[in-house]
Amino acid sequence: MSQAQPAEFAGIVFFRRNYRERDLLVKILTDRFGFKMFFIRGARKRGFRLNAAILPFVQAEYVGSVSEDGLSFINAAKEVTQYRQILNNIELNAYVSYIFELANAAFGEAKPLGGWFKQLQQAVLLIDQGIDPAIITNIIEIRLLTYFGVQPNLHDCVICHRTDEVFDFSESYGGLICRRHWSVDPHRLQLDRRTVYFLQFFSQVDLFKIHSIKVSQTTKNHLRRTLNRIYDNQVGLKLKSRRFLEEMKIWPI
Ligand SMILES: [Zn+2]
């Protein structure tokens, strides 16, 4: 079953890679097939008719032929829209690349994402509209943890289940521990209240209801270090796009 089937789908271009002399491989986040690589013949020829539809971070409705395990193709595109701020800003670009690379690692190749397509699309839209990309990234990172087999309990104390206490985060206990149980983990992360509050808030907030969100730079740095630590120790990913954010000094180290 490697015959390509005709298909219509929505998508956002993730990245493109030169292939042979005149062709491109374009990876698209699609609503029906998840992250999928497409072979675009003649795409590097001048005046290629689908050029506008295969630029990075362009969103469109595509018509193509999709194969489960062979090559997939794009034949036409309509309703092509650009995320202009992201396209023109290297920092926003770097954040969206990271979010996509992380989601690609979480879901794998050509696996339907279900409701996650709309979540990721909304994340891109919010970043393009000027909502703080560091915050949107944190929200996605916390939500994706479960797909990496890490499900931190951010709801209550993992030991006594109180919700009305001062909390810290314990990696070895897999979630929040309240002040009365801090002694169980000498390596708890020593988080301040605001950082804990935002970890909890981000794990529940609806991306479709965010209109503005302000977090101080100090708290953003704490959140960044906390998520780095969880991802380093419990997920163990080494993503190119994260290294780029760090090398560009967009992220604190
Ligand atoms: Zn407790």
Side-chain angles (χ1 to χ4, degrees):
M1 160 58 212
S2 63
Q3 197 68 30
Q5 302 291 328
E8 285 193 44
F9 53 91
I12 304 172
V13 176
F14 176 14
F15 67 78
R16 23 196 283 164
R17 182 183 303 149
N18 290 344
Y19 187 72
R20 301 199 301 222
E21 221 169 293
R22 306 176 137 198
D23 311 326
L24 277 180
L25 290 171
V26 180
K27 187 174 261 191
I28 301 179
L29 166 63
T30 72
D31 58 349
R32 291 178 55 195
F33 313 104
F35 287 94
K36 186 91 186 151
M37 192 75 94
F38 293 86
F39 175 69
I40 320 277
R41 193 185 302 280
R44 289 157 72 205
K45 279 192 291 193
R46 206 205 269 256
F48 178 65
R49 70 186 170 89
L50 288 175
N51 196 39
I54 53 169
L55 295 170
F57 307 120
V58 152
Q59 178 179 303
E61 300 287 327
Y62 298 94
V63 181
S65 41
V66 174
S67 163
E68 241 174 72
D69 43 14
L71 288 176
S72 298
F73 307 91
I74 304 271
N75 303 318
K78 54 191 176 183
E79 290 171 53
V80 177
T81 49
Q82 273 188 349
Y83 291 105
R84 286 191 181 279
Q85 303 308 320
I86 294 169
L87 200 65
N88 295 320
N89 180 315
I90 193 166
E91 184 171 331
L92 300 185
N93 216 294
Y95 271 108
V96 176
S97 294
Y98 172 73
I99 288 173
F100 273 34
E101 198 181 358
L102 195 64
N104 199 171
F107 294 106
E109 304 299 320
K111 301 257 169 36
L113 266 54
W116 265 95
F117 177 79
K118 286 213 175 309
Q119 294 287 322
L120 292 169
Q121 186 182 36
Q122 180 68 5
V124 174
L125 180 68
L126 290 172
I127 289 173
D128 198 62
Q129 288 174 343
I131 305 290
D132 192 330
I135 298 308
I136 301 299
T137 300
N138 285 163
I139 293 171
I140 298 292
E141 286 174 305
I142 291 172
R143 302 277 182 82
L144 282 179
L145 277 173
T146 167
Y147 295 89
F148 292 109
V150 183
Q151 281 179 297
N153 176 0
L154 294 169
H155 179 65
D156 54 15
C157 172
V158 294
I159 293 165
C160 70
H161 300 292
R162 280 181 73 142
T163 55
D164 59 345
E165 259 289 2
V166 179
F167 292 112
D168 194 1
F169 188 87
S170 163
E171 289 181 286
S172 47
Y173 282 82
L176 300 180
I177 46 176
C178 80
R179 180 162 48 183
R180 299 184 314 162
H181 292 107
W182 281 352
S183 58
V184 301
D185 183 5
H187 303 295
R188 63 193 171 85
L189 297 191
Q190 312 269 5
L191 302 182
D192 61 284
R193 286 185 192 211
R194 295 199 68 74
T195 304
V196 171
Y197 166 79
F198 280 112
L199 287 175
Q200 292 186 297
F201 177 64
F202 291 166
S203 70
Q204 294 162 15
V205 68
D206 182 349
L207 282 174
F208 290 89
K209 291 186 179 150
I210 292 181
H211 300 293
S212 75
I213 185 161
K214 291 253 180 302
V215 181
S216 73
Q217 188 58 51
T218 310
T219 302
K220 283 203 288 185
N221 291 350
H222 290 162
L223 285 162
R224 183 68 264 140
R225 291 200 184 95
T226 306
L227 281 156
N228 278 355
R229 186 152 169 183
I230 293 173
Y231 267 91
D232 286 344
N233 294 347
Q234 296 183 59
V235 181
L237 278 179
K238 295 259 179 285
L239 298 183
K240 257 195 318 199
S241 51
R242 171 171 158 190
R243 205 162 56 232
F244 183 77
L245 283 156
E246 289 171 349
E247 281 168 4
M248 293 285 290
K249 308 243 186 301
I250 295 168
W251 275 8
I253 302 180

